[in-house]
Amino acid sequence: MQPRVLLVHGLLNASWWLLPLALRLRKQGFATELFDYSSVWEGPEFALPRLRKRLLAQPPDALVGHSLGGLIALTALQQAEHPRVQRVVCLGSPLRGSETARCVAALPWARPLLGRSAGLLQTGVAEWRGTAEVGVVAGIAPRGMGCLFAHFKERSDGTVALEETRLPWLADHVALPCSHSGLVLSHSAARQTGHFLHHGQFAPTSQHTSRAADV
């Protein structure tokens, strides 16, 4: 049987945004499903109970989340871990919290863009007590709307700084020449995601930083 992978989208997106990634994962031998929620109007408060229920009723073998979706996937597993979920891949997720989100939240006219997801985006998921292996695919092509709000002094994907994606408990970490949104559309990001889901580690590249790298 094909391993079942549930994909979770990020802020200001819908599940269809992950279709290119889902199709590429299918070509790598995975059965993919999409989890949809309203990131602005509902946020984690409503998405997490629904995702926990989904994990218990139809447990996948792995989770893949883009940006906020990675934070929601990890938080759901923390609250109701299911032993069938063996691996999680986060694409550009600000595990340490997002400086861009903090800058947006400080602007009254821009704050509504974060909606009910503002809190989780600003704090991230600093700790991980689950048994699933977690890998991060980060972007280092600084293009995106995040540059309008945050001024990065280090490498970033234009919305999330590279260091915001690194924590000591990661099983593996890799950086690719992708923008924040481009991580969803990238062939390389899809290949690395599939490689981690199959093997628990990313394929070696010039930007491959074993485990959590410098923290």
Side-chain angles (χ1 to χ4, degrees), residues 25-203:
L25 289 177
R26 289 178 188 175
K27 292 181 180 179
Q28 297 181 63
F30 299 98
T32 58
E33 302 172 14
L34 304 176
F35 177 79
D36 202 12
Y37 67 102
S38 172
S39 60
V40 174
W41 300 111
E42 296 179 349
E45 180 182 356
F46 292 91
L48 286 170
R50 289 179 46 228
L51 182 53
R52 292 197 304 267
K53 184 177 180 180
R54 175 77 171 269
L55 293 177
L56 292 172
Q58 299 173 296
D61 298 290
L63 295 170
V64 173
H66 175 241
S67 193
L68 171 65
L71 302 181
I72 287 180
L74 290 175
T75 302
L77 277 183
Q78 293 266 51
Q79 296 175 349
E81 185 175 9
H82 195 285
R84 180 168 174 175
V85 180
Q86 298 295 309
R87 291 173 181 143
V88 181
V89 174
C90 298
L91 299 164
S93 297
L95 301 179
R96 291 185 164 199
S98 168
E99 178 62 22
T100 298
R102 289 188 284 269
C103 291
V104 171
L107 300 171
W109 62 269
R111 193 178 303 135
L113 293 174
L114 303 176
R116 293 178 178 269
S117 297
L120 183 57
L121 283 168
Q122 292 178 76
T123 60
V125 181
E127 297 182 2
W128 174 243
R129 298 180 299 277
T131 59
E133 298 174 311
V134 182
V136 168
V137 180
I140 50 173
R143 301 185 299 270
M145 290 186 60
C147 294
L148 301 176
F149 301 99
H151 301 287
F152 299 105
K153 297 180 180 179
E154 57 186 282
R155 290 188 295 177
S156 76
D157 62 12
T159 298
V160 175
L162 182 62
E163 291 304 313
E164 292 174 343
T165 67
R166 290 172 163 167
L167 280 171
W169 45 260
L170 294 177
D172 210 349
H173 185 286
V174 67
L176 301 176
C178 301
S179 66
H180 190 65
S181 297
L183 286 167
V184 174
L185 306 174
S186 165
H187 288 271
S188 296
R191 285 194 296 269
Q192 287 287 14
T193 297
H195 196 280
F196 184 90
L197 294 180
H198 276 305
H199 306 290
Q201 61 184 17
F202 296 114

